[in-house]
Amino acid sequence: MTVGRRVLLRPPEAGDSAAFLRMVRRSRRLHRPWVYPPGDARSFRRYVARARSDPRGCGFLACLLSDGTIVGAVNLSEIVRGNFRSAYLGYYGSADHEGSGLMTEAVRLALRHAFEVLRLHRVEANIQPQNRRSIALARRCGFKKEGLSPRYLKIGGRWRDHQRWALLAESWRRRPFRAGR
Ligand SMILES: CC(C)(COP(=O)(O)OP(=O)(O)OC[C@H]1O[C@@H](n2cnc3c(N)ncnc32)[C@H](O)[C@@H]1OP(=O)(O)O)[C@@H](O)C(=O)NCCC(=O)NCCS
């Protein structure tokens, strides 16, 4: 568990299913066409199982410290060690808490985990060029745009262009996120 000022990150559990699916249902318009989170009980169970067992991934729910409400999810995937020490970052928030800074805090907590616990060297976020809010969030967290890859990822059944945004451990060390800051 990683604790911030307003938000904590914790792995998803089977008992989160109803609240998580409700959040996803209420956020459909915000999420599409950028992300397609688990939308039914079966895919949520798979997400929980993967979060527990996949050595190459870390799945977190972002929850309010005050009352535990699920405000989003942040996932690290394809964690590679050795000379690469890299991972991909994905995230989505709840429409009920849009524009509140909570997802910026949640992503910074996941980055703290990536750089300070997993000791990765690089975290990459792949973002569709029209996804203004996600680009703003990545920028706020210190990511730098490295390039554009045409037809890079299949999202919602279509190959879509993505910008590749990355944050390196060196930049993180210059501007780490501390709870309470
Ligand atoms: C990407 C996404 C998570 C960003 O959500 P968000 O609500 O913009 O993010 P935050 O909760 O961090 O809120 C940021 C806003 O709060 C404001 N804010 C208020 N207090 C803040 C604080 N303490 N810290 C940071 N920002 C704060 C920011 O200025 C910003 O305002 P703005 O929208 O007017 O610029 C959301 O749009 C989403 O879920 N999109 C669909 C999924 C998606 O695209 N995922 C990424 C795929 S690459």
Side-chain angles (χ1 to χ4, degrees), residues 93-133:
S94 152
D96 291 340
H97 298 85
E98 201 183 343
S100 57
L102 293 171
M103 283 307 293
T104 299
E105 182 173 331
V107 166
R108 285 184 176 142
L109 288 170
L111 291 169
R112 187 162 80 186
H113 184 78
F115 291 119
E116 298 178 19
V117 179
L118 303 177
R119 309 203 72 77
L120 298 180
H121 178 248
R122 169 189 171 82
V123 174
E124 179 167 326
N126 302 129
I127 309 178
Q128 294 177 55
Q130 306 81 0
N131 193 346
R132 202 178 43 78
R133 297 193 74 93

Side-chain angles (χ1 to χ4, degrees), residues 63 71 108 123 160 180:
C63 304
V71 295
R108 285 184 176 142
V123 174
R160 299 181 198 260

Side-chain angles (χ1 to χ4, degrees), residues 69-106:
T69 301
I70 298 171
V71 295
V74 188
N75 301 306
L76 291 164
S77 61
E78 304 303 332
I79 299 169
V80 177
R81 310 270 177 187
N83 290 338
F84 194 28
R85 281 199 273 145
S86 180
Y88 293 100
L89 177 75
Y91 43 82
Y92 44 89
S94 152
D96 291 340
H97 298 85
E98 201 183 343
S100 57
L102 293 171
M103 283 307 293
T104 299
E105 182 173 331

Side-chain angles (χ1 to χ4, degrees), residues 59-71:
F60 295 114
L61 295 183
C63 304
L64 285 185
L65 270 175
S66 55
D67 64 5
T69 301
I70 298 171
V71 295

Side-chain angles (χ1 to χ4, degrees), residues 23-34:
M23 180 277 281
V24 167
R25 241 185 346 262
R26 292 171 63 84
S27 309
R28 208 178 173 86
R29 225 176 307 147
L30 172 69
H31 291 167
R32 304 237 169 137
W34 319 119

